[in-house]
Amino acid sequence: TSNDEFFHTQAPLTFIVFLISFHRGIPGKKCGTIILTAEELSNCRDSGTMQFCANKLDKKDFFGKSDPFMVFYRSNEDGTCCICHVNHDFIGDFTTSYRELARGQSQFNVYEVIPAFSPFTCVSRGNPSQSTSLHYMNPYQLNAYAMALKAVGEIIQDYDSDKMFPALGFGAKLPPDWRVSHEFPLNGNIENPYCNGIEGILEAYHQSLKTVQLYGPTNFAPVVNHVARYAAAVQDGSQYFVLLIITDGVISDMAQTKEAIVNGAKLPMSIIIVGVGQAEFDAMVELDGDDIRISSRGKLAERDIVQFVPFRDYMDRTGNHVLSMARLAKDVLAEIPDQFISYMKSRGIKPNPAPPPYTPPGHTHHHTQI
């Protein structure tokens, strides 16, 4: 309706809210139907009361004003949505979550409605040119993503021999056709996505913010499957792959990501998830699987391959400096050794024999037996 609406639910919801316009009805006749579909979760008793208002909506009639009408789409665990179908004029849409709405009225709970005809507006993680975005390109300091990438990257890069890292982005529209991609090279080179060291990744990341348009949904499964394809090709123990994901905690394909992780648990790979920002990271904790082993389609993961670290726990109050690199390094790498060894043992792969001791030229190695 054109007035503020209240909605009460007993289940945690992810909302995709569409604003649509319809012609004024004829008095005495039915003008439309609202269908509410609810899915109750036995382990959740959260409830919320929400109030919505909209300003400067697009006019869909040549004469007269907009007649806004809201439809709620609920995201299910299997990736589908419970929707309410209405046959009215589409104005635009935005995506949010129950957790975000529960924060109450603030500057972070103001959303731009994306018109149906415009493919160029940034709706995922905020516009990098605005200070409210975690991707904000501040000329004087690193943003949250870059800070996490630099700190964590400098910890794990020493375990790679050539310091050449393939770096991927997900959740953006790419030129020239502006299609949404969940698996694109940060350096823009599909044939060679490798970056030279952490500085090379940072450079590619900053450059990509100038060329792509951040856009939802946020899908993890494509990048997990991307690494899994490489790992599946080398299962003789000669290589082990570690995927580092830096995220604000929003995920749109939980079911598909769980399935990808369960499949990846059979391969020589691990996943480190670093959470940035002040959001709740319940979904990331679930993927970590420390308390409850992750499962998909009734099948448990063969082993735990995910480690989640909330980056804010290691920052000072200003959010600009890491308090303890040593503690961050310890927690980031905490599970990798056991995950590596568990894979090798499960496949019966033993360490290569130690190389013979080095003997300088012109010297004879003497062996003394006691």
Side-chain angles (χ1 to χ4, degrees), residues 11 26 36 57 116 145 147 177 315 331 349:
I26 300 174
L36 297 179
L57 293 179
Y145 278 84
M147 198 178 306
D177 55 2
M315 304 297 292
D331 291 348
I349 300 173

Side-chain angles (χ1 to χ4, degrees), residues 19-23 57-68 88-93 113-118:
L19 297 177
I20 56 180
S21 172
F22 61 98
H23 300 286
L57 293 179
D58 188 28
K59 295 180 180 180
K60 293 302 179 185
D61 297 320
F62 186 76
F63 296 103
K65 63 180 182 179
S66 253
D67 299 315
H88 304 308
D89 294 336
F90 178 74
I91 293 179
D93 72 316
V113 175
I114 308 307
F117 54 83
S118 174

Side-chain angles (χ1 to χ4, degrees), residues 7-48:
F7 182 75
H8 183 274
T9 179
Q10 287 291 338
L13 303 177
T14 297
F15 292 104
I16 304 175
V17 183
F18 284 79
L19 297 177
I20 56 180
S21 172
F22 61 98
H23 300 286
R24 294 185 181 278
I26 300 174
K29 290 190 177 183
K30 185 177 180 180
C31 300
T33 302
I34 298 178
I35 303 174
L36 297 179
T37 303
E39 178 183 336
E40 183 177 0
L41 301 181
S42 59
N43 62 345
C44 178
R45 291 294 181 268
D46 293 343
S47 63

Side-chain angles (χ1 to χ4, degrees), residues 196-216:
N196 188 4
I198 299 304
E199 291 302 323
I201 298 178
L202 285 170
E203 182 181 352
Y205 163 65
H206 287 131
Q207 187 60 37
S208 71
L209 290 178
K210 301 175 183 178
T211 57
V212 307
Q213 296 163 353
L214 305 183
Y215 208 88

Side-chain angles (χ1 to χ4, degrees), residues 125-175:
R125 313 290 80 79
N127 191 325
S129 64
Q130 297 177 353
S131 60
T132 55
S133 171
L134 292 173
H135 289 289
Y136 177 52
M137 293 186 289
N138 190 323
Y140 304 107
Q141 65 183 41
L142 296 176
N143 64 31
Y145 278 84
M147 198 178 306
L149 176 59
K150 182 176 177 63
V152 178
E154 288 179 347
I155 292 170
I156 64 176
Q157 71 171 345
D158 290 334
Y159 295 87
D160 187 90
S161 57
D162 61 4
K163 305 293 188 296
M164 296 296 294
F165 304 103
L168 303 176
F170 55 98
K173 286 187 173 184
L174 309 184

Side-chain angles (χ1 to χ4, degrees), residues 25 28 53 97 102 105-106 122 131 138 142 145 156-158 185 198 236 253 261 288-289 368:
C53 67
S97 67
Q105 189 174 14
S106 70
C122 172
S131 60
N138 190 323
L142 296 176
Y145 278 84
I156 64 176
Q157 71 171 345
D158 290 334
I198 299 304
D236 58 358
D253 63 340
I261 292 173
D288 192 322
T368 301

Side-chain angles (χ1 to χ4, degrees), residues 313-335:
D313 290 356
Y314 306 87
M315 304 297 292
D316 63 9
R317 291 184 178 180
T318 67
N320 297 325
H321 302 285
V322 177
L323 290 173
S324 173
M325 284 297 294
R327 188 166 70 93
L328 176 62
K330 175 180 177 294
D331 291 348
V332 165
L333 301 176
E335 298 181 7

